[in-house]
Amino acid sequence: MEYKFLLESILEHLDEGILVVDKNANVTFYNEPATNIAGITQEKAIGKNILDIFPGLTPESSTFYRVLRNKQPIIDYVQTYMNYQGLKVSTLTTTIPLLKQGEIVGALEIYRDLTQVKELSEKILNLQSELFKKKSNEKSYKGNGVIYTFDDIIGESDAIKELKKRAQKIVDSNSPVLVYGETGTGKEVLVQSIHNASKVRRNKPFIAQNCAALPNTLLDSILFGTTSGSFTGAKDKPGLFELADGGTLFLDEVNSMDMELQGKLLRVLQDGIVRRVGGASTVLVDVRIIASTNEPPLKLVDQKIMRKDLFYRLNVIPLSTPALRDRKEDISLLTRFFINMYNAKVNKQVEMISAEALNVLQSYYWPGNVRELKYTIESIMNFTDSNIIGVNDIPHHLLNANQVAGMKQEEPAGDIVVSSLVDNLNDYEKKLIQKAIKQANGNGAKAARILNIPRQTLHNKIKKHNIDWEILINHN
């Protein structure tokens, strides 16, 4: 196959823009995605100096000029500037020096549009800033953004009783907490309950941030705040550590942070001092850090995804939210709770669930845990015409004998080697997902419906289990 044709086909379908300049920062190659980030055509861009295309940049703020000067790459850099049409854009860029026999001959930049993500993040930050703004004559905050208490943790199993007992003991501690639990087990419900029960912090801010939702460079500025002039478009803004002063900062999926950002978090945990991005001065904050992971923390440490020293510092108070399959005695109680909840929401008068239908729910594996059970009951409540939920109301994938019996049918008990329960459960979950993908002929939305989990949850689990989608489809 002709390489020029192959390269042109790849470039045509990229979401990223590509810019190449010579050693004088004049554009020699330009490929713009359909999003039109730079705001200029290829014909107009070639031959122009990069500062002519982006007039708001200077030799000091331009990533190209910095790379040409220093001969060092700049990786995943977030910058905000005015494009050729005068529109404000934000991009995530990686700029790489082009060296030939040790001499700089130009630079290559790959960039992706972050404008909507940046705007949304700034709106969230501004809203949080307004919500938790201190008035000079007030001693406490009004409205802490918390809705859950320990009463919202439904269950009578030994696992739930032990979890609530342990958590209630540490509500007024200042020590960091590390919560481990699979997706859908109610980690944030637990964390909010701890904050709400604290006599010291319950009237102060509670702020939750999913660390996997943003690029690390953007997350850095969101957490630590920014100083005016630290990068193009930067303003003096407090970060989440400052906004949560006196209260609780919940860092969900903390292992998604890169090692450098984990190091900065460790320093805050150790001395309580925050320095804004680009700033010289420091701020002392009183924030209780509660972090969570949806994979076993020690496994993340072994895989070098999580810093060992950060794990030791966070794991002062370890808590674990049990999977629903490990507390099946709670399914009846949870089902009644959700029936009552959705009676009010969908204007129904369902009184109970039949013993047969309940048995189906209790036999199911629940890969999406309590969250999956909740949305399953919501689905049933929308369609049922009876005041008793029967087997016929249960979604088809729960009734599927292969999925309900699962491992029992595919792997006879006599052939199973007794080993780690977590490893066996993960292996079973992986097989269920692979089977659903095959059954859906590679259609992700359909596979998610078969498993009755959100599509994003399915993609997270595909990534977790390193499932190769293409191989499954090709061998179907």
Side-chain angles (χ1 to χ4, degrees), residues 23 26 40 106 115 126 140-141 175 177 204 217 257 279 302 376 381 421-422 437 449 451:
K23 63 181 180 181
N26 296 320
I40 188 172
T115 305
N126 288 335
S140 63
Y141 292 87
S175 299
V177 180
K204 301 294 179 65
T217 45
M257 290 183 178
D302 290 340
T376 298
M381 294 287 287
L421 178 62
V422 171
I437 292 170
R449 286 196 299 271
L451 294 168

Side-chain angles (χ1 to χ4, degrees), residues 10-20 29-38 54 64 81 91-95 108-113:
I10 292 171
L11 292 175
E12 183 180 349
H13 293 91
L14 279 179
D15 289 331
E16 292 82 7
I18 298 176
L19 264 169
V20 180
F29 179 86
Y30 170 63
N31 182 75
E32 176 68 272
T35 46
N36 194 25
I37 304 165
F54 305 113
F64 273 115
Y81 50 87
T91 58
L92 179 68
T93 63
T94 292
T95 313
L108 161 71
E109 184 165 281
I110 303 171
Y111 58 94
R112 168 175 287 184
D113 189 16

Side-chain angles (χ1 to χ4, degrees), residues 1 10 15 22 37 43 85 97 144 181 222 235 256 259 314 344 346 366 380 390 399 444 460:
M1 185 178 293
I10 292 171
D15 289 331
D22 61 20
I37 304 165
E43 293 75 18
Q85 295 177 350
N144 60 10
I222 293 292
K235 299 177 182 177
S256 297
M259 289 298 182
L314 285 173
V346 300
W366 297 112
I380 292 171
L399 296 170
N460 289 341

Side-chain angles (χ1 to χ4, degrees), residues 111-398:
Y111 58 94
R112 168 175 287 184
D113 189 16
L114 272 184
T115 305
Q116 291 183 334
V117 176
K118 185 82 180 294
E119 288 175 356
L120 180 61
S121 299
E122 288 181 350
K123 284 179 182 177
I124 292 171
L125 199 58
N126 288 335
L127 284 171
Q128 288 171 328
S129 181
E130 289 298 318
L131 180 62
F132 302 126
K133 189 183 291 180
K134 286 182 179 178
K135 293 182 180 179
S136 57
N137 60 346
E138 286 185 341
K139 293 183 179 179
S140 63
Y141 292 87
K142 292 183 179 179
N144 60 10
V146 178
I147 60 174
Y148 296 114
T149 69
F150 282 112
D151 291 336
D152 294 301
I153 302 176
I154 309 299
E156 292 296 330
S157 62
D158 290 341
I160 285 297
K161 287 179 178 177
E162 179 63 21
L163 175 63
K164 291 170 75 169
K165 180 181 176 182
R166 283 172 56 83
Q168 286 167 339
K169 283 184 177 181
I170 54 87
V171 295
D172 285 318
S173 169
N174 290 320
S175 299
V177 180
L178 183 59
V179 181
Y180 160 63
E182 294 179 12
T183 299
T185 52
K187 295 187 289 294
E188 184 159 356
V189 176
L190 173 66
V191 174
Q192 286 195 18
S193 300
I194 292 171
H195 177 87
N196 235 349
S198 170
K199 296 174 185 175
V200 178
R201 299 185 184 273
R202 63 183 167 208
N203 294 318
K204 301 294 179 65
F206 174 89
I207 299 179
Q209 175 62 54
N210 187 319
C211 300
L214 297 171
N216 278 283
T217 45
L218 188 54
L219 181 61
D220 190 359
S221 60
I222 293 292
L223 289 176
F224 291 90
T226 56
T227 302
S228 180
S230 57
F231 55 85
T232 306
K235 299 177 182 177
D236 280 316
K237 282 191 176 182
L240 297 187
F241 284 108
E242 291 181 60
L243 293 175
D245 189 30
T248 303
L249 179 58
F250 173 42
L251 300 175
D252 192 15
E253 296 190 53
V254 68
N255 50 287
S256 297
M257 290 183 178
D258 63 23
M259 289 298 182
E260 182 180 353
L261 196 50
Q262 287 185 34
K264 292 184 71 173
L265 171 60
L266 179 62
R267 287 194 291 274
V268 177
L269 284 163
Q270 289 173 338
D271 53 32
I273 293 175
V274 173
R275 185 173 66 197
R276 294 184 185 179
V277 175
S281 59
T282 57
V283 179
L284 186 64
V285 292
D286 171 24
V287 181
R288 187 179 198 184
I289 304 296
I290 303 182
S292 76
T293 67
N294 55 15
E295 294 187 55
L298 282 173
K299 177 183 175 183
L300 295 170
V301 171
D302 290 340
Q303 293 175 342
K304 301 190 184 306
I305 295 173
M306 188 175 192
R307 288 177 60 128
K308 189 180 293 186
D309 47 5
L310 178 62
F311 164 71
Y312 291 144
R313 189 69 191 93
L314 285 173
N315 205 49
V316 173
I317 299 175
L319 296 174
S320 180
T321 52
L324 185 56
R325 60 183 166 273
D326 295 331
R327 55 180 187 112
K328 289 194 172 184
E329 60 266 48
D330 289 334
I331 290 178
S332 175
L333 194 62
L334 285 162
T335 300
R336 289 200 299 272
F337 176 82
F338 292 136
I339 287 173
N340 292 333
M341 174 192 293
Y342 288 111
N343 268 332
K345 289 189 176 183
V346 300
N347 195 26
K348 294 288 178 75
Q349 293 182 337
V350 175
E351 297 174 3
M352 60 182 292
I353 182 170
S354 71
E356 295 81 4
L358 181 61
N359 183 58
V360 173
L361 298 185
Q362 291 174 328
S363 300
Y364 183 58
Y365 181 69
W366 297 112
N369 293 292
V370 177
R371 182 184 295 143
E372 185 184 0
L373 174 61
K374 176 183 177 182
Y375 295 138
T376 298
I377 300 301
E378 181 180 8
S379 174
I380 292 171
M381 294 287 287
N382 272 282
F383 289 105
T384 187
D385 294 318
S386 172
N387 62 348
I388 299 176
I389 295 174
V391 173
N392 291 337
D393 295 308
I394 304 294
H396 292 299
H397 72 278
L398 270 75

